Amino acid sequence: MDLRAFRKDVQPVFQAEALDPRMRVGRSIAEALPRAERARVGELLEQVGLAPELADRRPPTSSPAASASAW
């Protein structure tokens, strides 16, 4: 693969809205939702393949790769 062509097509995605390690996952997700939708946090976690019980946990605080394996 031509690296220059690849770089033209790929853009970085910054994680300004990453999960706050001081807050539980469910609360972080709920803050991004309209007030009337906040009860759906468990359902939303299931839609992306995560267990609803994760809403009560704090996010892993290590690197993104290690965090993905910690779930």
Side-chain angles (χ1 to χ4, degrees):
M1 169 179 267
D2 178 25
L3 192 55
R4 287 184 186 187
F6 177 76
R7 287 182 178 163
K8 278 174 73 175
D9 294 332
V10 175
Q11 299 293 319
V13 176
F14 300 101
Q15 295 182 334
E17 300 299 324
L19 293 174
D20 184 342
R22 298 170 293 178
M23 291 174 49
R24 301 207 183 274
V25 172
R27 182 171 174 210
S28 292
I29 295 170
E31 281 190 350
L33 299 173
R35 191 161 291 186
E37 299 292 318
R38 291 183 179 173
R40 297 184 55 220
V41 169
E43 175 189 340
L44 296 172
L45 285 168
E46 282 184 322
Q47 284 182 7
V48 297
L50 296 172
E53 297 80 36
L54 292 177
D56 295 327
R57 290 181 48 187
R58 296 188 193 282
T61 57
S62 54
S63 71
S67 296
S69 65
W71 293 104

